[in-house]
């Protein structure tokens, strides 16, 4: 066994995923980051080393299993999984075609299923934890004017996460979700930077990537050992 816990984190090259990777590394985790495109790759390699950076499209069948096996071959263990990826789309339901819906489903839902399926045995062995990314307001089942397809995929992920949490809890594996609200950062959707939207947030401001990363690191930590199947919103009261 390695001296440090090992985490596999998708979407690690930028945004909230990168913030999570940096925080966990600062807390002593050995971070293995997954990225899909070459964007951000060099920065990841400089931060974590080439042997801890994996290029893969997790929407492709079998890709998640291959990445998990690469991590296990290198480390011999896997203690945490963070699924911080997921395509975003803004458009009215009437403007959202079948191909777009399928793409959102693969990126946000099926990739999460594949990642847990690929890592389940290792997490059971280590008594580890998994955290999946949702979006604010899922529990309220609110209608959405412009993000219906995206929110529908995340809502499906929420139900699946809770169901997987029930199945894995007897095996010592904790599964939870983090749902960010409006978190302005480089690469975020344009509406994330909308000053009028930010003004409507009860806390009076947009969130910070570091605040989302703090929630993720807590859910992975022993401090959250009795937290199972929960959706932790990091949203400043947005969409309550």
């Amino acid at each position: 066994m390695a001296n440090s816990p090992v985490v596999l984190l998708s979407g690690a090259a930028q945004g909230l995923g990168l913030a999570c990777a940096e925080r966990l590394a600062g807390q002593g985790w050995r971070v293995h980051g997954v990225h899909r495109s070459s964007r951000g790759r060099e920065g990841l390699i400089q931060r974590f080393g080439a042997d801890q950076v994996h290029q893969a499209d997790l929407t492709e069948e079998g890709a998640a299993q291959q990445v998990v096996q690469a991590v296990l071959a290198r480390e011999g263990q896997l203690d945490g999984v963070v699924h911080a990826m997921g395509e975003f789309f803004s458009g009215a339901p009437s403007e959202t075609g079948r191909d777009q819906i399928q793409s959102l489903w693969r990126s946000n839902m099926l990739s999460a299923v594949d990642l847990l399926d690929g890592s389940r045995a290792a997490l059971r062995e280590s008594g580890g934890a998994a955290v999946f990314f949702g979006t604010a307001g899922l529990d309220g089942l609110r209608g959405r004017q412009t993000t219906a397809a995206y929110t529908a995929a995340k809502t499906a992920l929420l139900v699946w996460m809770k169901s997987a949490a029930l199945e894995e809890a007897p095996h010592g594996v904790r599964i939870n979700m983090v749902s960010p609200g409006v978190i302005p950062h480089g690469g975020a959707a344009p509406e994330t930077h909308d000053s009028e939207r930010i003004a409507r947030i009860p806390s009076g401001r947009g969130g910070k990537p570091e605040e989302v990363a703090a929630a993720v690191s807590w859910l992975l930590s022993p401090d959250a050992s009795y937290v199972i199947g929960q959706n932790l919103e990091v949203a400043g009261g947005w969409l309550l």
Side-chain angles (χ1 to χ4, degrees):
M1 296 285 284
N3 293 325
S4 300
V6 177
V7 62
L8 174 59
L9 197 151
S10 67
Q14 60 182 334
L16 303 184
L18 179 58
C20 292
E22 290 177 338
R23 183 178 181 91
L24 291 169
Q27 293 179 330
W29 288 78
R30 282 185 58 80
V31 177
H32 282 255
V34 184
H35 66 99
R36 182 170 63 177
S37 68
S38 58
R39 181 181 179 184
R41 176 177 173 81
E42 290 305 315
L44 281 179
I45 290 176
Q46 291 176 11
R47 180 66 176 84
F48 302 112
D51 60 338
Q52 292 175 225
V53 177
H54 310 267
Q55 185 167 5
D57 183 352
L58 298 184
T59 66
E60 295 181 354
E61 186 175 359
Q65 180 69 34
Q66 291 177 4
V67 171
V68 170
Q69 290 305 311
V71 174
L72 291 174
R74 172 68 182 177
E75 305 288 354
Q77 69 185 71
L78 181 60
D79 306 281
V81 169
V82 180
H83 184 268
M85 61 173 280
E87 178 184 346
F88 176 79
F89 175 77
S90 180
S94 61
E95 300 169 349
T96 308
R98 180 184 180 89
D99 289 346
Q100 182 64 65
I101 293 172
Q102 289 180 330
S103 180
L104 288 166
W105 185 268
R106 286 193 301 270
S107 178
N108 289 282
M109 174 61 181
L110 293 181
S111 63
V113 173
D114 288 347
L115 188 57
L116 182 59
D117 284 348
S119 59
R120 178 179 284 107
L123 291 176
R124 287 182 177 183
E125 182 176 349
S126 66
V131 179
F132 298 95
F133 268 58
T135 188
L138 294 180
D139 290 322
L141 294 176
R142 300 164 57 103
R144 307 295 177 103
Q145 292 182 316
T146 59
T147 59
Y150 171 75
T151 305
K154 290 297 192 185
T155 300
L157 179 58
L158 173 62
V159 175
W160 177 82
M161 179 278 294
K162 287 178 176 288
S163 303
L166 284 174
E167 181 180 15
E168 293 305 315
H171 299 282
V173 179
R174 296 181 296 106
I175 302 176
N176 292 285
M177 175 178 279
V178 163
S179 285
V182 181
I183 316 288
H185 62 276
E191 49 262 59
T192 305
H193 301 275
D194 182 357
S195 59
E196 293 184 2
R197 175 174 298 203
I198 292 175
R200 297 197 301 271
I201 300 172
S203 68
R205 65 174 178 85
K208 302 175 183 178
E210 294 80 8
E211 292 171 316
V212 177
V216 170
S217 66
W218 178 73
L219 286 173
L220 289 177
S221 76
D223 290 337
S225 60
Y226 206 53
V227 180
I228 293 174
Q230 299 304 300
N231 176 26
L232 177 57
E233 291 204 351
V234 185
W238 178 246
L239 297 182
L240 279 177

